[in-house]
Amino acid sequence: MTLFRLDASIMPATSASRALGDLVEEQWASAHPESTVVRRVLANDPVPATAWQEAVTAGFMPGGDLSEAQREATTLAAALADELIEADALLFTVPLYNFGVSQHFKTWFDVAYTDPRIGVAGSALQGKPAVLVTTQGGNYDPGTPKEGWDHSTAWLRRVLADVWGLDLRVVQRQFTLVGVNPALDAFADQAAAMKSDAEDAARTAGREISELRDPQPVA
């Protein structure tokens, strides 16, 4: 059994999203102690921003006419896709940055998506169990002053669940900057409750994906 884990935080040592991901992984390891965890830490090994352009343009060129950069990009895309296809379950930890999608994660997704097995017409990930952990420094729920400012979570759901067809569970924790930003001190109790709920949700999601098996891809 193999778990693929991707962490997108730019501050791995203090990351709230990684901490929740650890709880998911603990459940997986408990259920599958002999399993392998394949890790991709984007802070340490970011996908080059130029790789997407090269991989996309390579798709319009005859194989023999590819530039060296295009060959490298298509090889990278295949390697990223392999990690996803060969895993039995997937775990993504992706914080909200500046009200939008992490640029590291977006670049990683865009390059991987150029691989035809998981691209526009690909279905190799259909039904694979997965967990998305996402964290926000503030609170963007309906009725809050910044309702609708989270432009990341909906996109992540769309590409992981709808585009790739993953059997997705979402674990979300808000108010991670309470205790860091004094302007949020009034929300300490609410933040503590949200943290506890998110930790419970992470453990539950970890148990659920540990009990599932990777289905056969749709032909």
Side-chain angles (χ1 to χ4, degrees), residues 34-91:
E34 303 300 322
S35 67
T36 299
V37 179
V38 175
R39 305 181 191 281
R40 184 166 286 274
V41 182
L42 296 181
N44 299 340
D45 187 20
V47 175
T50 57
W52 178 66
Q53 175 184 344
E54 300 294 352
V56 169
T57 56
F60 298 97
M61 301 289 290
D65 294 334
L66 296 183
S67 68
E68 182 61 26
Q70 288 173 323
R71 291 191 182 91
E72 291 177 357
T74 55
T75 298
L76 174 60
L80 299 181
D82 284 343
E83 290 178 340
L84 297 167
I85 294 168
E86 294 170 3
D88 296 288
L90 311 175
L91 169 60

Side-chain angles (χ1 to χ4, degrees), residues 58-212:
F60 298 97
M61 301 289 290
D65 294 334
L66 296 183
S67 68
E68 182 61 26
Q70 288 173 323
R71 291 191 182 91
E72 291 177 357
T74 55
T75 298
L76 174 60
L80 299 181
D82 284 343
E83 290 178 340
L84 297 167
I85 294 168
E86 294 170 3
D88 296 288
L90 311 175
L91 169 60
F92 308 95
T93 73
V94 189
L96 173 72
Y97 286 138
N98 297 326
F99 314 109
V101 181
S102 154
Q103 75 165 37
H104 287 330
F105 185 90
K106 181 66 163 58
T107 303
W108 170 84
F109 173 85
D110 286 342
V111 174
Y113 191 55
T114 64
D115 186 281
R117 295 169 294 171
I118 59 173
V120 175
S123 58
L125 302 180
Q126 188 73 35
K128 191 182 292 285
V131 177
L132 166 65
V133 171
T134 182
T135 52
Q136 295 84 30
N139 187 342
Y140 308 101
D141 281 346
T144 62
K146 290 187 176 179
E147 174 184 349
W149 284 45
D150 174 2
H151 298 287
S152 174
T153 305
W155 182 87
L156 292 168
R157 286 179 181 269
R158 183 71 68 191
V159 298
L160 296 176
D162 297 337
V163 175
W164 275 347
L166 300 178
D167 179 11
L168 187 67
R169 293 144 189 80
V170 179
V171 177
Q172 185 177 61
R173 179 187 163 197
Q174 297 175 314
F175 272 154
T176 62
L177 289 180
V178 172
V180 178
N181 182 351
L184 300 176
D185 285 351
F187 302 103
D189 291 343
Q190 186 177 355
M194 287 180 168
K195 180 176 184 291
S196 179
D197 289 346
E199 290 171 345
D200 289 343
R203 294 185 184 97
T204 297
R207 287 193 294 270
E208 289 179 352
I209 65 167
S210 300
E211 295 168 356
L212 299 174

